[in-house]
Amino acid sequence: MTGFFGDIPKFTYQSDGDSEFAFRHYNPDEIVMGKRLEDHLRFAVAYWHSFAWEGGDPFGGRTFDRPWFGSEMEKAKMKADVAFEMFDLLDVPFFCFHDADVRPEGADFAETTRNLEEIVEYFAQKMEGSKTRLLWGTANLFTNRRFMSGAATNPDPEVFAWSAATVKTCMDATHKLGGENYVLWGGREGYETLLNTDLTREAEQAGAFLSRVVDYKHKIGFKGTILIEPKPQEPSKHQYDYDVATVYGFLKRFGLENEVKLNIEQGHAILAGHSFEHELALAASLGLLGSIDMNRNDYQSGWDTDQFPDSVPEVARAYYEVLKAGGFTTGGTNFDAKLRRQSLDPEDLILGHAGAMDVCARGLKAAAALLEDGTLEALRAERYADWETPANKALLTSDLASIEARVRDQGINPKPRSGRQERLENLWNRYV
Ligand code: XLS
Ligand code: NI
Ligand code: NI
């Protein structure tokens, strides 16, 4: 034991009592729609924000003082010890990591890869004594200055090569640890100015890169899902993977729509001018719903503040879409969330996650109750019911002239009908 978390007890579900160190709503064994809550929500801790982020902002540097900060392998192992202690305290089923979160950078590619392999070995040992598994691995292709003009979309082919080689090592690591998904967030895949950017070339590079990732997945027999995480802005002025619709177009263009799904982040959806539920519903309708990053932004600040979710009604809308789509398969709920930079204490890290787990549990249970009630879906179906008659179905395949003849012959004269939004909102609010 590292002692970092002091005497904070392991979390259990306690429906009453006044301990702050207990789940109030997240009972992993509760059966909801025929499935354990833990298996619905599939919570994951994000290694980067919880253990690697130092608390800096554009106006000031590190505020956290963690004993594992530093670039030595021993510190990386201490960080892993603390991480697995936290996974155990919170009883979370999953974690996620980037290569750069877990290993020190070496002097060259070979040394960096050896460092990653050593840590992966260390993780594998720790996982033998832990229930926590890997939801997804990913490569950090955005922090180091070599990526400042992009990774796959860089004008310099050497950066493309470095990035491809790095992704290979991260896919190997994810595969070795039994990861259920592999994520690609296009951190620097975008541009600052069109004056120096060839959009056509950069898209072709990105398409080729992703195709090679898919090939490699099949080559090594990785059974998990490849996920792209859309984001509209930050860090570059224009990000190529803007939102769900944009990524769908990109996947179709390169014939990858049956190979790749999406990891959709709440805060990114809002930055793109959508709601989270819109992005989830669209992904589900396109067959692309993979996993979620459940972290919100501050609605006043207009950037990716990565805060823990605190709004039950908001997360309920999201889980409604997830449940309606049949729930997660390889995906889960990753908290890509960080503490506020004044939240210095170890218990802040624990309470941030525990509170978020309770919020998500409440939201999912409310969504499940509404779905099981069935009224909302019945009213939705009723709204489209006239499309079920053979004559109306035929409209979708008729030519315009025969539709015109039908309108004249039958004297069709549509009567506007209420969308009944307020009634549906009242129904929704009875459950949340
Ligand atoms: C950044 C992204 C990132 C991905 C993983 O905004 O959310 O954290 O989830 O690279
Ligand atoms: Ni993000
Ligand atoms: Ni994310």
Side-chain angles (χ1 to χ4, degrees), residues 184-185 228-232 241-244 247 262-265 268-269 279:
L184 298 117
W185 168 56
I228 288 194
E229 184 175 322
K231 183 174 184 179
D241 296 334
Y242 198 92
D243 59 2
V244 169
V247 176
L262 304 179
N263 181 43
I264 302 171
E265 179 165 313
H268 298 180
E279 290 290 81

Side-chain angles (χ1 to χ4, degrees), residues 126-244:
K126 301 204 78 79
M127 285 168 78
E128 278 174 26
S130 162
K131 81 173 233 180
T132 307
R133 290 164 294 144
L134 179 60
L135 186 65
W136 47 265
T138 186
N140 178 328
L141 304 178
F142 43 89
T143 300
N144 192 289
R145 66 196 284 267
R146 72 174 71 86
F147 304 117
M148 69 181 184
S149 310
T153 62
N154 202 294
D156 179 352
E158 289 201 349
V159 180
F160 180 99
W162 183 286
S163 306
T166 301
V167 168
K168 182 219 171 261
T169 64
C170 292
M171 289 176 77
D172 289 342
T174 303
H175 188 38
K176 171 134 204 251
L177 294 172
E180 301 209 14
N181 306 272
Y182 184 83
V183 165
L184 298 117
W185 168 56
R188 300 275 173 193
E189 314 294 18
Y191 64 78
E192 296 300 330
T193 172
L194 269 181
L195 297 177
N196 66 11
T197 302
D198 182 338
L199 285 178
T200 312
R201 256 181 197 282
E202 295 202 2
E204 276 160 11
Q205 287 174 214
F209 193 95
L210 187 58
S211 302
R212 299 297 82 76
V213 167
V214 169
D215 291 346
Y216 191 65
K217 163 192 158 153
H218 293 303
K219 182 172 172 208
I220 62 177
F222 177 63
K223 295 281 174 271
T225 313
I226 305 285
L227 300 170
I228 288 194
E229 184 175 322
K231 183 174 184 179
Q233 53 228 28
E234 260 192 42
S236 63
K237 173 186 143 55
H238 181 95
Q239 293 283 126
Y240 291 135
D241 296 334
Y242 198 92
D243 59 2
V244 169

Side-chain angles (χ1 to χ4, degrees), residues 392-407:
N392 287 338
K393 272 190 184 148
L395 283 171
L396 298 177
T397 48
S398 304
D399 61 75
L400 294 188
S402 55
I403 292 178
E404 192 213 13
R406 185 178 158 202
V407 171

